[in-house]
């Protein structure tokens, strides 16, 4: 089938969600994209071969192997050249998606500026990739474990429009609100498509970031998750967790500390983003 396509990432499957939720959610996201009238393409690397549109069996293999690298911009070439297995992050997925001509991508929460980045310099390659590729990325905001004001500042510096979908505030992944106002808001997929088309007609080659709040029924309000986030950050620091391990460590710790509420929110927002991305892909094609 030709027609509007939506890229989906695989890090969330291999490193972000526990089994069996990872596989169920991967499948559910594809179903949401199809329900919106678009074709899903889950992206990953199988023994050095980048695949745009993994089969269900291939997704299952990525989910179950223990030797799957977390692939961003810095190690994409290595994983391919060394014929390794790789799950692509937002950054890695964006690179492969745009090379395949895909203009819309759905994820959970983007990486960003970590708290304490002034010392650690830990800033996700996702921000660099959002600035580099002309793709609409749909997310539920930056992960609440990050420094959200600094993440917004960097996106502004990089020239990436951040558009609230039916909100005027940056959502904070598990929660619908962060208290941080946004300049841009769109209330329909068609409006987002028009903005993205205009952005690219102006000659920009940067992406557009759509921030879509987690559905109300599944949100964990910021005040209720704050302690779990802070405890997870302290534990990560005490155990010396660093680099690529930080994000998966924090997400797992927070899920464990909230009796699954964080996990439920994570799954719900992933599906919700896949649906909106499908609608945007259709609107862009129209
Ligand atoms: N969103 C989720 N779960 C995840 C991630 C995002 O709901 O596991 C992944 C994405 O693949 C994102 C990555 O690109 O975490 C960011 O990792 P880092 O902070 O190491 O750049
Ligand atoms: Mn990092």
């Amino acid at each position: 089938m030709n027609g509007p396509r939506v890229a989906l990432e695989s890090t969330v499957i291999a490193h972000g969600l526990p089994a069996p939720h990872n596989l169920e959610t991967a499948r559910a996201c594809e179903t949401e994209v199809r329900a919106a009238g678009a074709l899903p393409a889950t992206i990953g690397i199988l023994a050095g071969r980048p695949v745009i549109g993994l089969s269900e069996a291939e997704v299952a293999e990525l989910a179950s192997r223990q030797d799957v690298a977390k692939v961003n911009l810095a190690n994409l070439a290595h994983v391919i050249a060394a014929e390794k297995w790789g799950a692509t992050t937002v950054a890695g997925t964006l690179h492969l998606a745009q090379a395949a001509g895909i203009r819309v991508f759905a994820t959970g929460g983007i990486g960003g500026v970590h708290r304490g980045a002034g010392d650690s310099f830990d800033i996700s390659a996702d921000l660099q990739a959002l600035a580099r590729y002309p793709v609409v990325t749909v997310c539920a905001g930056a992960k609440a474990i990050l420094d959200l004001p600094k993440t917004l500042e960097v996106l502004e510096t990089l020239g990436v429009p951040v558009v609230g979908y039916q909100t005027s505030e940056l959502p904070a992944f598990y929660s619908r609100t962060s208290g941080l106002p946004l300049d841009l808001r769109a209330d329909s997929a068609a409006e987002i498509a028009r903005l993205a088309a205009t952005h690219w007609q102006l000659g920009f080659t940067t992406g557009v970031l759509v921030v879509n709040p987690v559905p109300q029924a599944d949100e964990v309000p910021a005040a209720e998750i704050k302690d779990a986030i802070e405890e997870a950050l302290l534990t990560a620091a005490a155990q010396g967790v660093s680099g690529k391990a930080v994000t998966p460590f924090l997400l797992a710790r927070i899920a464990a500390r909230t009796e699954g509420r964080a996990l439920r929110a994570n799954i719900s927002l992933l599906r919700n983003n896949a649906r909106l991305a499908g609608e945007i892909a259709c609107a862009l094609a129209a």
Side-chain angles (χ1 to χ4, degrees), residues 103-163:
R103 289 299 180 118
V104 183
F105 163 48
T107 183
I110 58 161
V113 181
H114 281 262
R115 300 189 196 180
D119 291 320
S120 68
F121 272 50
D122 191 351
I123 300 177
S124 176
D126 291 356
L127 297 180
Q128 194 63 246
L130 288 164
R132 197 174 292 171
Y133 305 117
V135 173
V136 176
T137 295
V138 181
C139 69
K143 282 182 281 261
I145 54 176
L146 301 168
D147 187 322
L148 299 182
K150 287 196 180 72
T151 299
L152 266 188
E153 288 295 346
V154 171
L155 287 165
E156 163 124 22
T157 301
L158 292 170
V160 176
V162 179
V163 191

Side-chain angles (χ1 to χ4, degrees), residues 8 10 18 59 72 171 190 202 207 226 239 285:
L8 299 167
S10 46
V59 169
N72 57 29
L202 285 167
K226 193 169 160 285
Q239 294 186 10

Side-chain angles (χ1 to χ4, degrees), residues 164-210:
Y165 178 66
Q166 297 179 351
T167 182
S168 302
E169 188 175 328
L170 181 73
F173 195 67
Y174 304 115
S175 329
R176 292 174 59 84
T177 57
S178 66
L180 297 168
L182 294 173
D183 291 338
L184 312 182
R185 173 188 173 122
D187 289 301
S188 69
E191 218 179 305
I192 294 166
R194 206 152 51 235
L195 175 81
T198 306
H199 185 70
W200 296 326
Q201 272 157 20
L202 285 167
F204 289 117
T205 54
T206 41
V208 171
L209 185 65
V210 176

